[in-house]
Structure formats: C-alpha cells, structure tokens
Amino acid sequence: MELTVLGAGPAYTDRQGATGAAYLVQAGDTSILLDLGQGSFPRLAAAIEPSRLGAVIVSHLHPDHFIDLIPLRHYLVYQFAPPRRVTVLGPAHLAERIDALHAQPGLSADALDTSQLGTRQRQIGEVTVEARLVTHTEESYATRLSLASGAGLVYSGDCGVADDLAPLIRPGDTLLVEASFGPGPVPKGVNHLDGPAIARLVAATRPGAILLTHIQMGFDRQAAVDAVAAATTAPVRLVEPGDRYRV
Ligand SMILES: [Zn+2]
C-alpha cells in the first residue's frame, strides 16, 4: 500500500499550507481516503480523480476531519452529468451534519452514499478495513488498513487514550498517530495524545514505523518526535502534506 499525506493539520494553526486531516491510501486499483478536513479537497483532486475513490472513511465528526466532504459533494454533482457517487463510511448522522450546513435535507445524498462505519471488519477492493472505537467524541474510530499479506497501516483519528489503539496494531505495522500536544502534557480531561503517551504505546506494540500528525500550533515538533523515538528503534517522522510512504 502507498500512503500519501494530503493534509496533516489540527483544528486550526498558523502554519502555511497545514490543511485538515486527509490521508490517501492506494493499493492496486483501490483508493481509500482517511478523513477529509478543511482545505484538503484541492490536494485530493490533484492526487487522484476523486470519483474513483473506493471509500472515504471519516474517523469522527469534528470538522477538521470531514468538512471538505462538502466540496467533494459539490464536485461530484456539478462536474458530472449525471452526478458521480462516492461511498462514505463514518459515525452515525454524518449525512445529517453535512445537510445541516446547507440547511438542505438530502444534500449529501445527491452524491455521497453515507453509512455508519461500525466495528465489523470489511473489504474495500483489495484492502481489509478494521475499525475500533476510541476515546475522543461519542463515536470516534481508529482504523487499520491491510492487504491479504504484509504489514498494515493503523490510523488513530483523534484519540484520548493511547491504549485504545493497541488492539489494532500488529508488530511491523505503520502507525499514523495524532500527537496533538507534541511533547506534552495533555491538559486534564482533554481527549488527545502527546509524545510520552505514544512512546508507551509504541514500546508495548512495536510498530515498524511511526508517523506523527495533527500537532497543534505552539508545540515543539522536534521534541514530539524525540519523545517517541526514545521508546523505539523504528523510524519516527512528523508527516507533511505531499509525503509518501510505502506500507
Ligand atoms: Zn477531534
């Protein structure tokens, strides 16, 4: 599988070009998009014909992870006659959230086939998708994507308890994980991760590569990498839009 980072930003930031979460995973003819946060639709359209996506998987209903479904919907409706359609999997009531932004029931259904992701394993083209609920919003998912053989890619979405991710991670997997609070600490009661929490997870689960993302403004990026790297011999990197990784 090949992972292309389209957007790796948090909810807001002052860093130029840091658009919302969006990660394209491609394997053969199968393309799956993990999240589509603010400003990332143009990067998606530059990387792939969006109507060819096998699915968009939305981790949770915070706008920095799904709001660019609206430009995706408009693109599919207005660039093609008849409109093309894309499957969207995510938390319950995702379609209603999109519709509410336009105060137009049925808006998303014009082009998006939206249904609840849930935790049952499913197959999308060549890719097996496993999902697990994590501590963040009422219904937030982490996902593992894999082929019939070889290592997988585990994406945390946003996650407040690192141990929630452990059941998804097999040794050698690539772990794409939010590090919102950089080297830490995470304020009490806030459902996000920091470097020390990820370091403990990595020591226990032994992924083959660790990709940090979603770091909020004002946090030391290199210190976040160093905090995780202290717990593993695997490579630890901070991802940027345009990065490509082979999983
Ligand atoms: Zn969130």
Side-chain angles (χ1 to χ4, degrees):
M1 293 186 293
E2 185 166 81
L3 165 67
T4 303
V5 177
L6 302 177
Y12 67 94
T13 180
D14 59 352
R15 278 196 313 122
Q16 287 284 340
T19 60
Y23 309 94
L24 180 63
V25 180
Q26 294 171 289
D29 291 334
T30 306
S31 298
I32 297 174
L33 184 66
L34 300 173
D35 285 337
L36 189 50
Q38 73 273 13
S40 285
F41 176 78
R43 289 207 181 108
L44 170 66
I48 185 183
E49 164 50 50
S51 66
R52 291 190 57 242
L53 283 169
V56 181
I57 298 176
V58 173
S59 62
H60 66 290
L61 295 187
H62 282 158
D64 54 323
H65 294 258
F66 81 90
I67 199 72
D68 267 22
L69 287 174
I70 291 179
L72 173 61
R73 178 268 180 200
H74 292 343
Y75 171 82
L76 295 168
V77 168
Y78 299 121
Q79 287 301 118
F80 302 101
R84 293 187 179 176
R85 307 194 64 81
V86 167
T87 296
V88 181
L89 302 166
H93 311 301
L94 170 56
E96 293 95 311
R97 284 290 180 99
I98 298 167
D99 294 353
L101 285 157
H102 270 253
Q104 186 180 326
L107 178 101
S108 66
D110 289 340
L112 305 177
D113 293 312
T114 303
S115 60
Q116 190 173 17
L117 176 60
T119 53
R120 88 176 161 79
Q121 184 173 307
R122 66 177 74 220
Q123 196 70 24
I124 300 174
E126 297 173 41
V127 176
T128 301
V129 178
E130 299 161 72
R132 196 168 191 281
L133 288 166
V134 297
T135 305
H136 185 63
T137 59
E138 189 181 330
E139 187 179 359
S140 291
Y141 293 98
T143 49
R144 180 178 191 267
L145 273 52
S146 61
L147 300 178
S149 62
L153 170 71
V154 174
Y155 171 50
S156 66
D158 283 358
C159 177
V161 176
D163 282 347
D164 290 349
L165 303 172
L168 285 178
I169 303 168
R170 324 284 198 267
D173 280 357
T174 294
L175 174 62
L176 172 63
V177 60
E178 70 119 307
S180 293
F181 284 82
V186 178
K188 212 171 166 50
V190 173
N191 284 325
H192 281 293
L193 297 179
D194 60 14
I198 297 165
R200 289 190 292 276
L201 173 71
V202 162
T205 57
R206 292 179 290 124
I210 300 99
L211 306 176
L212 304 181
T213 191
H214 202 270
I215 294 190
Q216 298 184 117
M217 65 182 282
F219 288 88
D220 186 325
R221 299 166 68 78
Q222 187 57 47
V225 171
D226 293 346
V228 178
T232 179
T233 56
V236 180
R237 299 206 173 84
L238 202 55
V239 303
E240 299 281 358
D243 286 356
R244 288 173 161 237
Y245 299 93
R246 195 150 268 292
V247 176

